[in-house]
Amino acid sequence: GGESWLNGLAGVPRINTTLAAAPDVLNLIYAMHSCTGWCRDRDIPVLWMLQQVSAPQPLSAAAEREVQLFEQVRNLLSAARFTNAGLLMAGVPPLPAADWLDLLTGLVDADGLVLASFEAESDYLALARAYLEQAVKDGLGDIDATQRAAIVEKMLGVLLQAREAQVSVAKECLAVYTGVDAEQTIRVLSWANATVHLLLRLVLERTAQDPQKIVLGRRDEPDLLLALLADVRRRSAVVAKLDLSAALLQDYLDYGHKAWLHQDDKHAFSVRTLYYLSALTRAFEMSEQPAQKLLDYLRQVNALPSVAGDALKLAQQAASIKLAEFFDWSVQEVRECVSRIDPKVKVLKDLI
């Protein structure tokens, strides 16, 4: 509710005599009572809930566990960078008087960190090949097409190995730092609107300077790295508390934020987000079936095209059977519940 709700409780009590957009003090008291009831039912401490849904407060100086994270990243990253030497070892011919990285600024930065890409894997491979082929043309001139293609494939192999190694560095280090599984933590990083490249870039910039002054010293300006880590810790705590699997997080980031919650911003996190994610985990608890079955169901029904008539009836029947199997209910019980939740389409697609 924000500041308007706070003012509604802290100021002179106001009770609406007619229907109004702004809630009155009775609405606010009921909302708080309902919220604490939800927390109690889901075994969520109210203070913990408030801490997680509030904007994360970064440390003014790195604590010991941040220092350990920086050191671990620095130690592991040296072998994971994309380098000119790595290309030469893979059989790529050297440039006469230059470094291959100078020609690959669209794929890697000057320190050999692979740039983030939000393309599908097939699109990324096509884009990378195009960049590499142009780099080979610029660096080696007009050589035989077959020879050029072989060089491009060697360079692509080194690039993909470096990308995988850098993702592994981020996974391993963040898993130790947050205490959640490596596959979960890499998705938490994406949920926090960050990338592997951004994390490694910030750590590299920090550790490249005097460790005592930069890692432990206080800074006057906002620290982007500590702010990111505070957000990652907060979201990791939610993942651990609700036991959100890596598969669930990936589905949420891919489409679930919009389809399940009707939330446009996949990175936003609020009481509403926490509530509906907890509702989904509650559904998992109500069944003895693997959680993945319900995730598969949600993906399938949200992939359905707009249908009507007999096609809609078939979709309703198939959806009801899948939910009945998951919850061990009768198909009729499922149909009655869904018809009250969505009386128009009668196919359960979201958590609202």
Side-chain angles (χ1 to χ4, degrees), residues 92-285:
V92 176
L95 293 178
D99 190 310
W100 277 111
L101 269 69
D102 297 333
L103 302 179
L104 298 174
T105 54
L107 296 174
V108 296
D109 66 19
D111 291 305
L113 300 181
V114 180
L115 300 179
S117 173
F118 301 98
E119 306 285 344
E121 182 66 9
S122 59
D123 294 334
Y124 176 77
L125 293 176
L127 181 66
R129 281 193 175 93
Y131 268 114
L132 293 169
E133 184 170 3
Q134 187 60 50
V136 173
K137 289 179 180 179
D138 294 341
L140 300 178
D142 188 15
I143 62 174
D144 178 72
T146 302
Q147 184 182 6
R148 182 171 61 246
I151 294 173
V152 166
E153 289 306 309
K154 290 177 182 178
M155 297 176 77
L156 180 63
V158 176
L159 176 68
L160 296 180
Q161 287 176 4
R163 183 183 66 164
E164 182 180 358
Q166 290 171 23
V167 171
S168 295
V169 169
K171 283 182 178 180
E172 181 178 340
C173 295
L174 285 178
V176 173
Y177 178 71
T178 62
V180 299
D181 180 80
E183 294 302 322
Q184 291 171 309
T185 198
I186 202 67
R187 289 162 177 82
V188 170
L189 184 65
S190 298
W191 192 16
N193 199 16
T195 63
V196 169
H197 177 265
L198 176 62
L199 173 68
L200 299 181
R201 176 81 262 158
L202 292 174
V203 173
L204 197 61
E205 290 174 354
R206 195 179 188 92
T207 56
Q209 304 180 50
D210 183 352
Q212 291 303 315
K213 290 182 179 179
I214 300 302
V215 177
L216 295 176
R218 290 180 176 273
R219 302 161 64 115
D220 294 331
E221 68 277 7
D223 191 309
L224 295 179
L225 178 55
L226 293 183
L228 171 59
L229 292 177
D231 198 15
V232 168
R233 286 198 311 273
R234 171 179 72 137
R235 294 172 192 256
S236 296
V238 172
V239 168
K241 181 66 176 177
L242 299 184
D243 193 20
L244 305 178
S245 67
L248 185 154
L249 291 171
Q250 191 61 59
D251 280 355
Y252 178 82
L253 293 171
D254 288 344
Y255 81 100
H257 62 96
K258 181 68 174 178
W260 305 344
L261 275 64
H262 302 176
Q263 179 177 294
D264 292 329
D265 185 0
K266 69 176 69 177
H267 308 295
F269 186 76
S270 63
V271 175
R272 183 177 182 276
T273 313
L274 181 62
Y275 175 81
Y276 286 116
L277 287 177
S278 73
L280 183 55
T281 59
R282 172 61 181 144
F284 296 154
E285 294 169 3

Side-chain angles (χ1 to χ4, degrees), residues 310-324:
D310 291 339
L312 178 58
K313 290 180 180 178
L314 286 174
Q316 292 168 346
Q317 183 178 13
S320 297
I321 291 172
K322 285 183 177 292
L323 288 177

Side-chain angles (χ1 to χ4, degrees), residues 1-11 28:
E3 188 174 345
S4 62
W5 282 33
L6 181 62
N7 292 338
L9 289 170
L28 297 176

Side-chain angles (χ1 to χ4, degrees), residues 19-30:
L19 186 63
D24 62 15
V25 66
L26 295 179
N27 297 138
L28 297 176
I29 291 173
Y30 180 74

